[in-house]
């Protein structure tokens, strides 16, 4: 069963095309990652799917409901968490939970049980009276997700939910997302943290409003970037970057901290070619040279620069 079906969805703001005729499908119960840089069109897409923004053209169905003609039914059957956590900082934890329970029309007989679940999920049992604005980012994040699914929707949309929180809180939050998916809830999550895609069942990469690749993490790494790729640790990475950009057997170079990633082309033969090119060049020392599996960041940069994955 499909949780989301999108056909040629487009959103224009004047002459600017924010989302450009995108089409995709999301299966019920999966964790679906929608990845791209800031300004790529992720948030605009998710707002259209949630009935918060009207499309310029195209169509989409969420939970079987048309986002144009059945907007109220779409909103009733989904959960939504924005990158600002959707909470009211001047209300207590308990007041926030009660407010969202009322928004989703939860009966009082059920609300008590759901309140307890949200408090436990957010690690806030016994802290119901604390002002929400005083909570640490990671705890506030879990509370926001709890209120977004307090009515047990079939689909929850998370728009940049881990933005601005520390890595430990992000990992903990993704464990919570997997718990929801195990309960049959479809999780549609947008993020610009490419490493988070490893947690998703299926992934879409979007750039400048267009879809450029689709698949799980393994498929993206093998299908869209098949050339050999090497990682080099060296003493002067900036100078090394310039050096390798001038070599005819190197297609792309990317700086990763003190390391370089080199994507080779059809002129590349083997690892000795790299070493031989450095034989008479001593301005930097190579500490490590290793062939690696590409990261999703490698894939994303490659697709943006070459457009190989345009759908």
């Amino acid at each position: 069963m499909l949780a989301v079906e999108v056909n040629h969805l487009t959103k224009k703001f004047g002459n600017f095309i924010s989302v450009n005729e995108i089409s995709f499908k999301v299966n019920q119960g999966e964790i679906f990652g929608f990845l791209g840089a800031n300004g790529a069109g992720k948030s605009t897409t998710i707002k259209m799917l949630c009935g918060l923004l009207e499309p310029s053209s195209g169509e989409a169905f969420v939970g079987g409901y048309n986002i144009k003609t059945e907007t109220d039914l779409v909103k009733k059957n989904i959960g939504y968490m924005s990158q600002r956590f959707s909470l009211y900082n001047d209300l207590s934890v308990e007041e926030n939970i009660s407010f969202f329970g009322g928004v989703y029309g939860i009966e009082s007989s059920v609300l008590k049980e759901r309140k307890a679940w949200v408090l436990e999920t957010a690690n806030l049992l016994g802290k119901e009276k604390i002002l929400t604005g005083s909570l640490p980012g990671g705890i506030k994040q879990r509370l926001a997700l709890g209120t977004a699914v307090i009515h047990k929707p079939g689909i929850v949309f998370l728009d940049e939910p881990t933005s601005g929180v520390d890595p430990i809180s992000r990992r903990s939050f993704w464990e919570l997302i997997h718990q929801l998916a195990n309960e049959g809830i479809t999780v549609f999550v947008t993020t610009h943290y490419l490493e988070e895609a490893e947690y998703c069942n299926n992934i879409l990469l979007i750039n400048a409003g267009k879809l450029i690749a689709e698949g799980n993490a393994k498929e993206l790494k093998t299908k869209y970037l098949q050339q050999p790729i090497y990682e080099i640790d060296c003493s002067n990475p900036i100078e090394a970057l310039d050096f390798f950009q001038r070599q005819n057997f190197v297609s792309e170079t990317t700086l990763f901290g003190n390391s370089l990633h080199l994507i080779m082309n059809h002129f590349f033969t083997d690892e000795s070619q790299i070493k031989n090119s450095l034989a008479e060049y001593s301005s930097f020392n190579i500490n490590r040279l290793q062939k690696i599996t590409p990261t999703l960041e490698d894939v994303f940069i490659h697709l943006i620069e070459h457009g190989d994955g345009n759908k």
Side-chain angles (χ1 to χ4, degrees):
M1 178 180 176
L2 292 178
V4 179
E5 183 176 3
V6 176
N7 299 305
H8 306 290
L9 198 63
T10 299
K11 183 59 184 179
K12 299 179 181 179
F13 296 97
N15 294 324
F16 175 69
I17 303 176
S18 178
V19 176
N20 195 347
E21 291 200 17
I22 63 174
S23 300
F24 61 89
K25 297 175 181 178
V26 181
N27 294 317
Q28 186 67 44
E30 75 176 353
I31 301 174
F32 188 88
F34 199 48
L35 279 70
N38 291 328
K42 303 187 305 297
S43 293
T44 300
T45 300
I46 211 171
K47 287 176 181 176
M48 287 191 284
L49 296 179
C50 291
L52 302 174
L53 196 60
E54 185 176 352
S56 301
S57 62
E59 63 178 7
F61 298 87
V62 175
Y65 300 110
N66 190 305
I67 63 169
K68 289 182 180 179
T69 60
E70 300 173 294
T71 306
D72 289 341
L73 288 171
V74 169
K75 292 178 180 178
K76 183 179 179 180
N77 288 278
I78 65 169
Y80 172 66
M81 175 181 164
S82 74
Q83 54 190 300
R84 296 186 178 179
F85 299 163
S86 311
L87 297 170
Y88 293 94
N89 287 327
D90 55 346
L91 296 182
S92 69
V93 169
E94 185 176 37
E95 288 170 338
N96 261 300
I97 298 172
S98 297
F99 171 77
F100 284 99
V103 167
Y104 290 118
I106 300 176
E107 297 181 1
S108 56
S109 58
V110 179
L111 185 56
K112 183 177 180 180
E113 174 193 341
R114 296 303 294 163
K115 273 186 180 180
W117 178 85
V118 174
L119 289 168
E120 183 178 0
T121 297
N123 299 322
L124 287 169
L125 285 171
K127 301 176 182 178
E128 296 88 338
K129 305 301 181 183
I130 293 177
L131 275 181
T132 301
S134 67
L135 295 173
I139 299 297
K140 189 186 293 186
Q141 178 193 53
R142 294 175 72 91
L143 176 60
L145 180 56
T147 59
V149 297
I150 192 172
H151 56 308
K152 294 186 176 180
I155 307 167
V156 60
F157 290 89
L158 309 178
D159 190 12
E160 301 277 3
T162 58
S163 180
V165 297
D166 63 89
I168 294 175
S169 295
R170 274 200 277 148
R171 180 179 291 273
S172 175
F173 186 75
W174 274 97
E175 291 174 356
L176 180 54
I177 288 177
H178 276 278
Q179 290 177 26
L180 295 177
N182 288 337
E183 295 173 10
I185 295 177
T186 304
V187 182
F188 187 110
V189 56
T190 73
T191 180
H192 60 270
Y193 295 114
L194 293 175
E195 69 272 16
E196 291 188 345
E198 304 285 350
Y199 301 121
C200 300
N201 304 120
N202 198 26
I203 304 159
L204 272 182
L205 296 182
I206 185 171
N207 182 56
K210 291 185 177 182
L211 302 185
I212 59 174
E214 180 177 5
N216 60 40
K218 183 178 180 180
E219 289 170 342
L220 290 175
K221 293 173 185 178
T222 55
K223 178 180 178 181
Y224 294 98
L225 187 51
Q226 298 178 355
Q227 301 94 317
I229 180 167
Y230 282 80
E231 183 173 72
I232 294 178
D233 288 341
C234 56
S235 58
N236 193 336
I238 300 299
E239 188 169 351
L241 181 72
D242 178 67
F243 172 79
F244 284 112
Q245 284 176 339
R246 299 195 305 269
Q247 306 308 305
N248 70 339
F249 56 85
V250 178
S251 174
E252 299 168 47
T253 56
T254 308
L255 190 63
F256 283 77
N258 289 324
S259 301
L260 296 179
H261 284 193
L262 308 180
I263 299 177
M264 305 308 180
N265 59 29
H266 63 282
F267 291 114
F268 180 73
T269 54
D270 56 39
E271 192 172 302
S272 64
Q273 193 173 15
I274 301 175
K275 296 177 180 178
N276 291 338
S277 70
L278 294 166
E280 298 180 5
Y281 196 87
S282 59
S283 294
F284 56 86
N285 296 317
I286 298 296
N287 302 317
R288 184 174 63 89
L289 172 63
Q290 181 179 359
K291 187 176 181 180
I292 62 169
T293 300
T295 66
L296 283 172
E297 188 168 349
D298 290 318
V299 176
F300 190 60
I301 292 172
H302 171 75
L303 290 173
I304 290 175
E305 292 185 351
H306 290 266
D308 297 346
N310 285 345
K311 295 172 66 63

